[in-house]
Structure formats: C-alpha cells, structure tokens
Amino acid sequence: MKSLRYIIFSLVTLVAAMLASSAPVVKAKLDSATVMMGSITTLHVTVDQATNVKGHFPLFKVAYEKGYVGVCGDSVELRAPVRIDTVKDNNALTINYDIPVQSFDSGFYKLPEMEFVAGVDTFRSNQVALKVLPVANVTAETPIADYANVADPENPSIFDSLPDWLVNYWWIFLIIIVIAIVAFLLWRRYRDTGRILPRKPEPTPYEVAISGLRALKEKKLWENGMEKEYFTELTDILRTYLYGRFGINAMEMTSRQILASLSANKETKDKKPMIRQILDMADFVKFAKVRPLPADNIKSLENAISFVEQTKPIPPEEKKDNDNSDKKTIGEKNAEIKKGGEK
Amino acid sequence: MEETLNIRELNDLIASKAGFLSLIRSGMDRRIVGQKHLIDSLLIALLCNGHVLLEGVPGLAKTLAIKTLANLVSAKYSRIQFTPDLLPADVIGTLIYSVKKETFEVKKGPVFANFVLADEINRAPAKVQSALLEAMQERQVTIGDETFALPEPFLVMATQNPIEQEGTYPLPEAQVDRFLLKVVIGYPSKEEEKIIIRQNIKGELEPVKPMIDPKEILEVQKIVEKIYIDEKIENYIVDIVFATRQPSKFGLTDLQSIISFGASPRASISLAKASRAYAFLQGRGYVIPEDVRSVCHDVLRHRIGLTYEAEANNISTDDVITDILDKVVVP
C-alpha cells in the first residue's frame, strides 16, 4: 500500500513536472534602463514555449492598431511596429518581440508585466524599470550645445528679408506686372483714340493725286485706244484732289459747278484755265464719243500735274523761304515726274 | 481732235436750227419779261413732245406765255378754263345729232389743237382731268365709235394755283406723272417788274406774228431724238431716280423717312428726254451731266411723294432733289 502511494505521488510529481516544463515563460528586458526624454529604447520580450502552444500579447495588439499604447499612466509609450523573431529548437519555440519604448515625461517608471495569453492561461513577464531623464530647456540664451547658433548672413541683402515664395517666383510677378502695365497703356490709348494700333499716317491729297497721275501715265490707256477710261480716271483723280485739298465736293459736281467753285477760291482762281481745258476735253471724250488727239491727252495730264503741283500746300518751314525757290522746286519736281512717267 | 461723224453732223444740224430757237426766244421776249426758265421749259416740252404743268400764283404770265408760243407757231391754239361743272365732252368733244342729215355728227372738243392751255386744271372734277390726261398720253381721242388722232405737235400746258385750294380737285399722282415737267414760276425781279409796267401801260401789247411752221417743230423733234446720250449719263439718270427710291443706299439716310414713294421709270425716261432737249437748247449734240441737273427739278418735282413728317417739317420735293443731286456722284 505504501509503495502504491509512492508510485502515485511519483506519477503526480512527474506529470506536474512535465506540465511545469511545457508552460510558456515570458521574460522582459530593456536595451537601456535610462533614456533621455523623447529618445527611444527597445523593450525585448521573449516567450519560451512549446511549439503546440498558441498565444498572444493583447497589449501589442493595441499598439498595432493605434500605433502606440500608453503605459505607466500614459507617461511611457510602447510604439508599433513590434518586430517579431521566432527560433525553433525541437519541440521548443522561442519568440522575441522588440518593442520601441519612448517617453516624453521625465521620471522613474516600472513598466507593467507583459501578459501573454495562451488559451485560458495568462503568463506574465518580469517587470522592468525605466528612468527617463529630462532635457535642458533650449532658449536663445542657452543654445543647444551640439548645434551651432544661427548666424547672420555675411552679406545681407534686401532679398534675405523677403519671403521665399517671392524670391523664388519673382519673375512670374514681374511678367504679370509688365502685362498689366501694357494692358493699361493699350486701354488708355483705345479710350483716347478709339483704336489700339497707331493710325497709319494717311497720304496727303497731294501725294494721292501725284501718285495717281503717275500710275495713270504708266497705264498707257490712251495709247491703247482707251481715251474714255483715261479721261474718266484723270478727272476722278482731280476731283478727289479738289475735295481733299480745298473741300470742294467735286465728285458730286458738274464741270461748270467745279469751275465756279475754283473761281470762288483765291488759291485756284488763276489756275482755272488748266482745269477748264481738262474738264472740257473730258466732257467731249466721256459724253460725246470724241477721240482726242495725242497732244490733247498729253496736255491734259500735264495741266493736271501742274495744277496739283502749283496748289500743293507749302509746309510752314518752306513758307518762310523765298517764293522763287518754291517755284524752282515745283519745276524740278514736274520734270522729275515727267521723266518718271516716260520710263 | 478727231470726232466721230455722227456727233459732228448732229452738232452742225443743231447749229443750223439755231435760227429756229432764236426766233421763238425773241418772239417770246417781246411779250414775256424775264421768266427765262418758263420759256426754256416750254421749249423743252415742245421739243420732247411732252406736256407741262405750271404752278404759280395768278398774274405771272402763264397763260400769256403759251398763247405767245402758239401765236409764234402757225398752229391751232385753244384754251380750256377748268371749272367744277365742266364735263369730259366739253374737252374732247361729243356726238351731236344733225336733224338735217339725220345722223350723229362728231363735234370735236378744244383738245383738238396743237397748243392747249388747260387753265386751273385742278378746279375740274377727276373725270374731266382724266379725259384730258388720257388724250395727252394716247394722243388720240375716241368719240362714239370713231378714234381721232390729235394734231402734231401737241402740247398741253396745264396751270394750277398753289393757293386757294378750297373746292379744288388735286391731280392724282398717277395722272400728274404724265406731265413731262412741272414748272414752278416765281415772281419777276424788280427790274423785270418795271419793264412789265412800262410795256403794259402803253396800251395793247405788241402783236406776235406766226414765224414758224409746225412741220419745222416736228423736224426739230426728230433731231432731238438723235442727240447722243452716253451710258455714263444713263447711269447718272438711273442713280438719281434710284436715289429717290432707296436714298439710304446713296448715303441719304435722312431722306428715308421723308420720301413715301420714289420716282417711276417714266421719270427716268422723261429725265433722259428732257436732258436731250436741254442739250439741244445749248446747241450740243450730246448730253452732259449739266443738262441732267438743269432739268432734274422740273422732271422729278411732281413724281416724288413726301411723308407727313416732311410736310410737318416744311420740306419740299425741291429740297429732296437738291439733296440727291448733291450726293449722287457725277460721271
């Protein structure tokens, strides 16, 4: 009976020993027990367990989900990610958890036991102590020892005081300002003149008439039997000139009315015979089927050129000069035009 | 200068008829003082085989002018005084029963004359006016079953008084259009008036003897028909007439609201005819823009209708025509 009790006791002890040897063992250890405030140290948690045991740390799960979990009254933070390393040795399994630990409150803390839950059992680690050292106040007077103080630039300029966005993109602002100025100037010109582009200087009635007469000569209309067209163009040039130069609405006037208007004008009174010759001849050619002689055609053009030249407005500077010099200039110009036409 | 033979021949022909014109003018001058425009207008109408509507206050020698013209030409002259009780038969004639012959005989009216003076035409009812105007247009009259041609030359000079409009029958536009010219006669100048007094207080006016044969007038009419009108002049005439219809196209936007209706194609024809006659009076065988302008007022005056706005603003057709002539480009 005594031996039976011994056997049972032995078996129980053996089973208990066996059971005790297969229970997970959780250990905790800090890389450094002392850290500066804000610095990070690592908490190493090791779980030795049988391979068939399945368990987890609820605290680490929270750290995963939130990014960190506060302990010691939230003064110490266990941060994610938690690095896990597993080593297998026969039926034993060693799992290493590395958890970053950080604190922003100086003081001495005892980290809580790390609870490993495996089924219905909970296994706890040992407690570890952490001392968080405060950081000295950084002010302008007490600069940070390992950083150089902000020094003033060697060659200060006005741009140093400008904001960076202005210094970097000043050219964009410059373009906008230039565009705005140009737009304003164009608008002001449009407001004042009614147009944006500058008005091309219009040719004077004299220039129009002289160029028209030159062109008419070069067309050689009467030389090709087109006397009617020749005199029509000739009279149209003269009528346009009379309107532009003297304000006589010659385009809407008959020959007689034009001559009457010329008589009423001091500048043209003595030059009327030239125009009379042209208009009389033009009326014959245009309305009476008359074919003029070549001499009549030439004389009409010459009279037209002479009339335009002699009634050309004198510029203010030339007016001061002697009248004789004017006459010479007109004569010379007449000759030039005739030469030009002959070419 | 080389000239085509036609125009030169025509010019010579016109020059040869200068005597005809000077005879008429000198004859008219003996009786009529001043009124050169009236005399020219009568001659233009005579040369164009057209008719004249004269408008002027009484006493401006309207009747005397046509009477003198008729006397100068050895032609038949008749005067019809238009009154409210006048009948068409009083103008064109009628059928009268002859007891002796026991048939209806034609009694020709006063319209059967070379020169007819329709005095105060607006005092007769429309049916009488129509009878005369139809005769003027057709140059023939139908009495009963028979049609009679009117003598040639045939010139009707109708007069109307611009004042005393009460109890008158204004000529409708369609009928007034049949007159080649509407001439407005103004008062003589001081000098002319003095001569008029001197001539009239002497006693009877100097008699006018017939100096021209009606055949000669017909010859001259044929010469006038030959007067050359260039295409440029035709375009000018068309432009003027179109400017009365669509003034805004000729830069006359102000006239758009003033003109109710423009001149008809008959106006274009009349303007061309009258221009030719005026060129003849000037001794030319071709028409120039000056001729067109000279007759333009007389030809278009009665062919343009004005709106109430124009009348309210006292704008006359003469003002409108002057504006048009000042705007239309002369060839």
Side-chain angles (χ1 to χ4, degrees):
Chain A
M1 191 66 188
K2 197 178 176 180
S3 61
L4 182 64
R5 282 181 186 170
Y6 176 77
I7 291 165
I8 292 167
F9 176 76
S10 299
L11 281 170
V12 168
T13 307
L14 183 67
V15 168
M18 282 175 70
L19 285 169
S21 66
S22 65
V25 177
V26 182
K27 293 173 188 169
K29 190 179 76 176
L30 276 169
D31 258 358
S32 171
T34 306
V35 292
M36 290 289 286
M37 196 168 69
S39 298
I40 293 175
T41 186
T42 306
L43 173 67
H44 300 283
V45 179
T46 308
V47 181
D48 291 321
Q49 62 170 70
T51 53
N52 56 350
V53 175
K54 288 187 178 174
H56 69 279
F57 287 93
L59 204 61
F60 297 168
K61 194 179 176 185
V62 176
Y64 264 118
E65 288 169 1
K66 285 175 64 181
Y68 73 96
V69 62
V71 293
C72 303
D74 284 344
S75 292
V76 180
E77 293 176 0
L78 304 180
R79 308 196 72 84
V82 177
R83 199 164 63 96
I84 302 169
D85 185 28
T86 306
V87 180
K88 194 177 178 185
D89 184 19
N90 294 327
N91 291 328
L93 198 66
T94 302
I95 305 168
N96 295 310
Y97 294 86
D98 293 341
I99 305 108
V101 177
Q102 191 177 21
S103 175
F104 296 95
D105 294 328
S106 59
F108 183 81
Y109 303 102
K110 280 184 85 174
L111 299 186
E113 296 165 337
M114 299 296 132
E115 291 181 343
F116 180 74
V117 178
V120 294
D121 298 322
T122 301
F123 303 93
R124 291 183 175 82
S125 71
N126 55 309
Q127 276 194 309
V128 289
L130 175 68
K131 188 176 183 181
V132 179
L133 299 173
V135 178
N137 283 344
V138 179
T139 61
E141 289 74 30
T142 56
I144 299 168
D146 53 347
Y147 284 95
N149 200 5
V150 178
D152 289 332
E154 286 180 6
N155 299 311
S157 72
I158 194 165
F159 295 106
D160 297 334
S161 59
L162 295 175
D164 288 347
W165 56 267
L166 187 60
V167 174
N168 292 334
Y169 301 108
W170 61 269
W171 52 276
I172 293 176
F173 293 98
L174 186 68
I175 290 171
I176 291 169
I177 290 166
V178 168
I179 289 171
I181 290 169
V182 170
F184 172 73
L185 292 173
L186 292 176
W187 171 80
R188 203 171 63 172
R189 177 180 286 176
Y190 181 77
R191 187 194 61 188
D192 294 344
T193 63
R195 53 188 300 140
I196 291 173
L197 294 174
R199 194 185 294 274
K200 200 178 172 183
E202 286 184 9
T204 62
Y206 165 79
E207 289 166 345
V208 173
I210 286 296
S211 62
L213 291 170
R214 276 180 187 161
L216 179 64
K217 188 163 189 178
E218 281 165 13
K219 277 185 187 173
K220 297 188 182 300
L221 289 174
W222 67 263
E223 288 92 333
N224 294 308
M226 298 164 77
E227 290 91 350
K228 199 170 176 177
E229 288 79 2
Y230 175 77
F231 273 95
T232 303
E233 274 198 41
L234 181 62
T235 48
D236 282 353
I237 291 166
L238 271 179
R239 285 167 160 194
T240 310
Y241 176 71
L242 289 174
Y243 176 70
R245 174 70 180 86
F246 302 106
I248 298 169
N249 290 326
M251 288 304 283
E252 290 83 29
M253 284 182 175
T254 61
S255 301
R256 202 172 73 179
Q257 287 174 312
I258 292 170
L259 292 172
S261 298
L262 293 177
S263 298
N265 190 308
K266 281 180 186 174
E267 279 187 83
T268 55
K269 198 174 180 180
D270 56 333
K271 295 160 188 86
K272 201 174 80 172
M274 287 189 281
I275 297 294
R276 185 194 293 278
Q277 182 275 326
I278 297 165
L279 294 179
D280 285 351
M281 185 55 63
D283 279 354
F284 277 130
V285 177
K286 287 198 286 184
F287 309 122
K289 294 197 287 186
V290 168
R291 295 200 67 187
L293 295 170
D296 295 327
N297 299 324
I298 294 165
K299 191 182 176 189
S300 297
L301 185 68
E302 283 176 356
N303 277 342
I305 292 168
S306 297
F307 178 81
V308 173
E309 288 292 355
Q310 287 176 32
T311 55
K312 177 189 173 184
I314 303 160
E317 306 89 60
E318 285 181 36
K319 265 185 181 176
K320 291 173 190 172
D321 299 341
N322 197 332
D323 284 344
N324 292 334
S325 62
D326 266 348
K327 282 175 189 171
K328 277 182 184 177
T329 312
I330 290 163
E332 284 167 8
K333 283 178 183 174
N334 242 337
E336 278 175 20
I337 292 160
K338 284 169 195 169
K339 278 181 185 176
E342 282 163 11
K343 281 175 190 175
Chain B
M1 200 186 327
E2 293 169 8
E3 195 179 329
T4 53
L5 201 59
N6 287 343
I7 301 278
R8 181 177 285 182
E9 276 181 353
L10 203 56
N11 281 340
D12 293 344
L13 204 57
I14 290 166
S16 70
K17 295 291 174 187
F20 158 84
L21 283 176
S22 60
L23 273 177
I24 293 181
R25 279 191 168 132
S26 63
M28 296 289 277
D29 286 346
R30 269 193 279 172
R31 283 282 188 89
I32 314 280
V33 179
Q35 304 292 11
K36 187 179 175 301
H37 181 64
L38 169 64
I39 296 166
D40 278 351
S41 301
L42 283 175
L43 287 173
I44 287 169
L46 190 64
L47 297 175
C48 294
N49 207 11
H51 310 286
V52 189
L53 178 63
L54 286 180
E55 193 175 275
V57 293
L60 291 178
K62 298 188 292 282
T63 311
L64 182 65
I66 193 161
K67 207 170 173 181
T68 309
L69 183 64
N71 290 341
L72 283 167
V73 183
S74 53
K76 194 180 173 187
Y77 162 78
S78 67
R79 174 183 171 163
I80 309 165
Q81 183 64 46
F82 277 58
T83 52
D85 59 346
L86 200 71
L87 294 170
D90 298 331
V91 176
I92 60 169
T94 188
L95 290 171
I96 293 177
Y97 185 73
S98 169
V99 180
K100 193 176 175 183
K101 295 179 183 174
E102 294 183 340
T103 54
F104 280 96
E105 281 185 353
V106 173
K107 174 74 177 171
K108 287 181 179 176
V111 78
F112 286 89
N114 297 105
F115 297 99
V116 178
L117 173 63
D119 222 355
E120 298 195 88
I121 192 170
N122 56 338
R123 298 217 173 266
K127 59 184 178 182
V128 185
Q129 292 173 358
S130 294
L132 177 68
L133 294 164
E134 200 178 328
M136 283 161 56
Q137 184 69 23
E138 305 297 328
R139 294 178 185 273
Q140 62 181 32
V141 169
T142 303
I143 304 169
D145 297 331
E146 213 172 338
T147 300
F148 301 93
L150 292 170
E152 285 189 329
F154 179 61
L155 169 69
V156 174
M157 190 175 86
T159 68
Q160 62 180 18
N161 192 338
I163 56 171
E164 296 170 7
Q165 293 297 308
E166 207 171 328
T168 61
Y169 303 86
L171 291 171
E173 280 78 10
Q175 294 193 346
V176 86
D177 195 36
R178 295 178 187 184
F179 286 98
L180 179 79
L181 307 173
K182 180 183 178 182
V183 182
V184 176
I185 304 166
Y187 289 107
S189 65
K190 272 187 176 180
E191 288 304 313
E192 289 168 351
E193 193 115 1
K194 275 197 284 185
I195 300 166
I196 292 168
I197 295 168
R198 282 177 204 153
Q199 277 190 357
N200 283 270
I201 57 173
K202 278 194 294 188
E204 278 191 12
L205 287 170
E206 199 178 335
V208 177
K209 290 175 186 171
M211 290 182 280
I212 298 154
D213 191 71
K215 283 181 184 173
E216 203 174 348
I217 291 171
L218 296 177
E219 280 174 28
V220 173
Q221 283 179 351
K222 281 179 183 164
I223 294 170
V224 171
E225 282 171 12
K226 289 177 186 168
I227 287 177
Y228 175 68
I229 295 190
D230 193 79
E231 197 182 346
K232 280 177 180 288
I233 300 291
E234 288 172 356
N235 290 336
Y236 184 49
I237 290 170
V238 170
D239 280 348
I240 290 169
V241 172
F242 266 70
T244 67
R245 299 173 198 167
Q246 298 153 340
S248 55
K249 286 192 176 175
F250 292 82
L252 293 158
T253 43
D254 292 350
L255 296 186
Q256 197 72 51
S257 59
I258 285 170
I259 299 173
S260 63
F261 62 89
S264 65
R266 191 183 277 153
S268 305
I269 299 164
S270 301
L271 198 50
K273 279 183 172 181
S275 302
R276 273 201 309 212
Y278 190 83
F280 179 86
L281 294 182
Q282 304 304 312
R284 255 186 284 105
Y286 57 94
V287 178
I288 60 171
E290 190 66 49
D291 304 327
V292 180
R293 285 182 79 107
S294 298
V295 297
C296 199
H297 282 88
D298 289 345
V299 173
L300 296 182
R301 185 175 287 132
H302 52 299
R303 301 173 199 267
I304 299 172
L306 298 182
T307 59
Y308 174 75
E309 188 187 334
E311 286 176 25
N313 291 317
N314 208 17
I315 296 169
S316 66
T317 48
D318 279 354
D319 299 329
V320 171
I321 296 163
T322 303
D323 278 359
I324 288 170
L325 289 178
D326 288 345
K327 204 73 184 175
V328 174
V329 174
V330 176

